[in-house]
Amino acid sequence: MSRSRSRSPCRRCSVQKIRHDLRLSETISPFGVGAIVDIRGESLIAPDTSWWDRRIAPEITCERLVASIGGGVLRQPPTHADRPGSDTASLLYWRFPAWRFCERCGKLSQLTRSDKGRWRNSCDCGGSLVPMRYVAVCETGSHAQDVPWFKWAHRGSDAGVTEEVRHCRAYKKLRFERSTRHGEGLASLRVSCGGCKRSRSLAELVGKDALLRDGIRCDGRQPWEREGAAAVVCESHLVAVQRGATGNYIAERVSALDIPEGTPRSLETADKIRAHDLYERLVADNGGPRSEQIAGWIAEELGATPEAVLAVALSASEDVDSPLLDLKDGEWAAFVNKIEAGHDRVGGDFVVDGWAGDGLAEEPAELRRVLAGIGQVRRVREVRALKGFRRHSPQADFVPADLDRDPRHRSVYPAIEMFGEGIFLRFDERTLSEWESDPAVRARANILIERRAQSPWAHRLDAPEPRFIALHTIAHLLIRRLAFASGYSSASLQERIYANSDRADKTAGILVYTAAGDAQGTLGGLVRLGEPRHLFPLLIAALDDADVCSNDPVCIESDRQGSSQLNLSACHGCGLISETSCETGNRLLDRQLVLGGSEVPGLLESLLRAVREDAGER
């Protein structure tokens, strides 16, 4: 468990510690850096990692993940196992919003009462102080700040703004009132001044450019940063939002499996070509008349194609030691090597028993035509890190998890490590390539490709080529079925999709795994189902479940479902799972590309038909 404590917005005004335990995973999301958290009647916000005490935040190693985020340090929040004491290591959370009202007398202020040397979250009248429900968020700069309630209450364009109101200084007479005399909803919630008798309804707060008309502008900083910390003036408009609104915090996380990276086949072949005795002659010929002949000799001896040999020779002047293009490339190569090796005798934090070739001989022919191998992932280590966040919209400016501006400072990213188990499925590349070359299949996938291109934020999602949509949907169907047999809830299962045809080493596989640092770990219920005799019946049952949706025929005939219409034939009745389990937030799904329909051939359509025909004959 990770423990939190709070602090007021003023650096020199510490308040009484709030003892509250958080799960370790919650410090990454949903209570990570920049998130607003409600704890025991208090509203707090997590500052960036420059406020962390490095002595109590241990460093986590994962070179692949650090390289993908451009360098820095991964640190885990402090944890404890027993009941917390006064000296237990903890995280710092700041009070936000600072404006609170008394639930008994309605007094509205930023003050905290001191009683016998201790800070109390209560009013002078004895009533508890409640945080104001609205805060101000920058539309494009991802900044957040308090609504200056005294200033706002004395502004406006109505006839009530008199000279007495403009020059009022009754700071201690501000009240937050509830009254049905002025209407319902926000109209019944008012901020009133006892000095000048000015009163404004919260309904005037939430209109378009309402704060701009009142002369309230963005401070250009985060709530825990000191005044004047803004590097540049923020010209974006403020909008008043409820402090618990989902859009106030859009975290950007990244994860990686900590595995020994395998070398992709294309790089292994390129190394063999460069080491061949005739390679120097091929490069020296530089595309001359003998290049094709020399390339043919090398290709024949190494089992490659002449085109591949010529491509390596033409790229001789380029950097051959460039890193892998993506985190998943190295993972895919490692899984392929493990599957081909069979029973894993190496040990460590990446243990996979592979099934391929003769190990799948007893399974249906249609299934062996599609699946090239299975991996029982008995142990895997996953590292998750928080890169930063955005506010209000996915198009807003990105705020990193570490706001330290010292050029010598190495950025610190909150991270956690978890150990788990899983099942890996490798699909046959030849079968997949033949299927996705069908014009009807490509036309179906182009619907999502065009919508992704039109969306201002969907470029962050994987390219929805046919193989990705199909394998992604299969992963969802399998997770829904595994939840009944593995002993894990569907929310505890995660997916990782390897589907890319634009690389020299085409990928086609899915990993379904569970990994947690506290409650659910490697209990063995999931990896046990990775044996072919258990997995194939589950896969066929998953396909059978999805063949008919409770929302059919509307669902199967649909081509515009989900957020931004980025799903085709997929809904909560057939293909959707917990959003935290999905890499793309339940987007880019389609049952038709898996099971067929509307003259679109499905990748596994023939498998389900063959199983049913075989069952009918019996």
Side-chain angles (χ1 to χ4, degrees):
M1 303 293 284
S2 182
R3 184 164 162 262
S4 65
R5 58 189 174 92
S6 72
R7 191 168 182 174
S8 72
C10 176
R11 293 190 183 214
R12 291 177 294 178
C13 298
S14 298
V15 299
Q16 185 179 5
K17 289 184 179 180
I18 301 173
R19 296 184 179 182
H20 183 78
D21 284 332
L22 299 175
R23 293 181 62 179
L24 187 59
S25 59
E26 290 179 329
T27 59
I28 304 298
S29 177
F31 301 150
V33 170
I36 300 175
V37 187
D38 284 328
I39 296 177
R40 298 184 181 181
E42 298 277 3
S43 181
L44 310 175
I45 191 169
D48 67 278
T49 55
S50 65
W51 290 87
W52 285 21
D53 187 345
R54 307 293 194 273
R55 297 169 298 177
I56 59 175
E59 183 175 350
I60 293 178
T61 58
C62 184
E63 295 181 1
R64 301 176 63 248
L65 185 57
V66 171
S68 71
I69 60 180
V73 181
L74 305 178
R75 289 192 179 275
Q76 179 176 283
T79 61
H80 70 93
D82 301 322
R83 297 183 62 179
S86 58
D87 57 346
T88 301
S90 60
L91 285 179
L92 186 68
Y93 281 73
W94 288 67
R95 189 188 304 284
F96 180 76
W99 283 91
R100 295 173 295 165
F101 68 92
C102 175
E103 63 179 2
R104 180 178 299 178
C105 68
K107 182 179 179 180
L108 181 59
S109 70
Q110 301 182 73
L111 302 179
T112 299
R113 186 172 69 93
S114 177
D115 179 24
K116 297 181 179 179
R118 302 190 68 179
W119 298 98
R120 302 292 186 185
N121 186 36
S122 60
C123 181
D124 293 335
C125 70
S128 298
L129 297 178
V130 180
M132 290 295 286
R133 67 178 65 181
Y134 278 92
V135 296
V137 173
C138 179
E139 286 185 335
T140 61
S142 295
H143 303 123
Q145 64 188 63
D146 267 286
V147 175
W149 292 106
F150 187 87
K151 180 179 181 179
W152 178 83
H154 292 80
R155 297 293 176 93
S157 57
D158 57 285
V161 185
T162 63
E163 286 298 320
E164 181 186 2
V165 170
R166 291 193 182 97
H167 296 89
C168 179
R169 295 295 182 268
Y171 299 110
K172 297 184 178 180
K173 296 185 178 181
L174 206 61
R175 294 286 188 274
F176 179 66
E177 301 174 345
R178 305 176 184 90
S179 174
T180 57
R181 294 179 301 169
H182 303 280
E184 300 294 335
L186 291 179
S188 65
L189 303 177
R190 308 184 69 84
V191 177
S192 304
C193 176
C196 63
K197 309 303 179 185
R198 170 67 171 165
S199 178
R200 288 190 77 181
S201 163
L202 292 193
E204 301 179 41
L205 178 71
V206 295
K208 182 176 177 57
D209 292 335
L211 293 176
L212 179 65
R213 289 193 298 270
D214 291 332
I216 300 173
R217 299 184 178 276
C218 180
D219 291 340
R221 60 187 178 90
Q222 299 300 329
W224 61 85
E225 293 184 288
R226 69 181 187 278
E227 293 184 11
V232 294
V233 177
C234 181
E235 300 294 342
S236 181
H237 297 175
L238 290 173
V239 58
V241 297
Q242 294 194 49
R243 68 172 190 272
T246 305
N248 290 347
Y249 184 68
I250 305 172
E252 187 167 322
R253 300 177 296 272
V254 61
S255 67
L257 302 181
D258 187 22
I259 61 179
E261 280 192 348
T263 304
R265 296 288 176 83
S266 60
L267 295 184
E268 291 181 351
T269 303
D271 291 339
K272 292 179 181 178
I273 292 172
R274 295 187 184 97
H276 198 276
D277 295 338
L278 299 177
Y279 178 70
E280 295 298 332
R281 292 174 59 185
L282 178 62
V283 173
D285 195 60
N286 194 24
R290 298 196 61 192
S291 293
E292 292 187 5
Q293 183 181 21
I294 299 174
W297 294 339
I298 298 176
E300 183 179 0
E301 186 172 335
L302 298 181
T305 62
E307 292 78 9
V309 176
L310 290 172
V312 173
L314 291 175
S315 63
S317 60
E318 299 178 3
D319 181 14
V320 299
D321 295 324
S322 59
L324 296 175
L325 296 177
D326 192 86
L327 278 172
K328 291 183 179 179
D329 287 343
E331 295 174 7
W332 168 258
F335 275 118
V336 170
N337 293 338
K338 289 284 188 179
I339 288 176
E340 294 178 349
H343 184 65
D344 194 343
R345 302 180 183 278
V346 177
D349 288 335
F350 184 57
V351 181
V352 182
D353 288 339
W355 302 76
D358 295 338
L360 307 178
E362 298 181 0
E363 306 309 324
E366 283 294 330
L367 194 56
R368 284 185 278 111
R369 186 181 67 86
V370 179
L371 279 180
I374 298 173
Q376 286 182 277
V377 186
R378 299 193 177 277
R379 183 173 175 83
V380 64
R381 177 177 178 258
E382 181 189 21
V383 178
R384 297 179 187 174
L386 176 67
K387 290 181 62 177
F389 62 91
R390 291 177 169 85
R391 299 197 193 278
H392 190 61
S393 74
Q395 294 81 41
D397 294 342
F398 177 74
V399 180
D402 191 340
L403 294 177
D404 194 314
R405 296 182 174 86
D406 188 343
R408 298 170 298 176
H409 175 73
R410 294 179 64 193
S411 297
V412 175
Y413 298 95
I416 56 175
E417 61 177 352
M418 295 171 291
F419 297 91
E421 58 184 285
I423 301 172
F424 180 81
L425 278 70
R426 181 188 182 189
F427 288 79
D428 185 78
E429 179 59 41
R430 179 179 300 177
T431 301
L432 205 56
S433 297
E434 291 177 357
W435 168 77
E436 65 184 357
S437 64
D438 189 292
V441 171
R442 303 202 70 83
R444 182 77 174 174
N446 281 337
I447 298 174
L448 292 181
I449 292 175
E450 292 175 359
R451 289 179 187 163
R452 175 178 177 266
Q454 295 169 0
S455 173
W457 57 267
H459 64 276
R460 300 190 185 99
L461 305 178
D462 292 86
E465 56 181 310
R467 67 172 61 198
F468 179 87
I469 301 172
L471 299 190
H472 186 204
T473 307
I474 292 172
H476 277 229
L477 303 181
L478 189 57
I479 286 176
R480 289 168 67 98
R481 172 50 60 174
L482 286 171
F484 293 101
S486 65
Y488 295 101
S489 66
S490 61
S492 299
L493 301 177
Q494 307 282 328
E495 68 173 10
R496 204 161 177 86
I497 311 300
Y498 304 86
N500 195 306
S501 61
D502 293 335
R503 309 282 177 84
D505 295 277
K506 297 182 179 180
T507 59
I510 59 177
L511 171 66
V512 177
Y513 68 102
T514 179
D518 38 25
Q520 300 189 77
T522 54
L523 301 178
L526 181 60
V527 70
R528 176 181 62 87
L529 300 177
E531 294 185 22
R533 61 191 179 95
H534 295 310
L535 180 60
F536 291 150
L538 286 171
L539 179 59
I540 293 170
L543 297 177
D544 189 59
D545 290 342
D547 192 33
V548 178
C549 173
S550 59
N551 291 324
D552 282 343
V554 175
C555 178
I556 194 65
E557 295 176 357
S558 175
D559 63 355
R560 51 184 70 247
Q561 298 191 77
S563 174
S564 299
Q565 300 180 351
L566 288 174
N567 283 336
L568 301 180
S569 298
C571 69
H572 284 284
C574 57
L576 270 60
I577 58 177
S578 302
E579 287 194 3
T580 54
S581 299
C582 177
E583 285 189 317
T584 59
N586 273 333
R587 302 179 184 93
L588 308 182
L589 300 166
D590 182 30
R591 281 191 297 145
Q592 284 199 27
L593 288 179
V594 177
L595 300 170
S598 300
E599 301 181 355
V600 178
L603 177 61
L604 302 183
E605 181 179 4
S606 59
L607 169 62
L608 193 58
R609 186 188 308 115
V611 171
R612 287 173 174 172
E613 290 176 355
D614 183 60
E617 293 176 359
R618 294 180 182 177

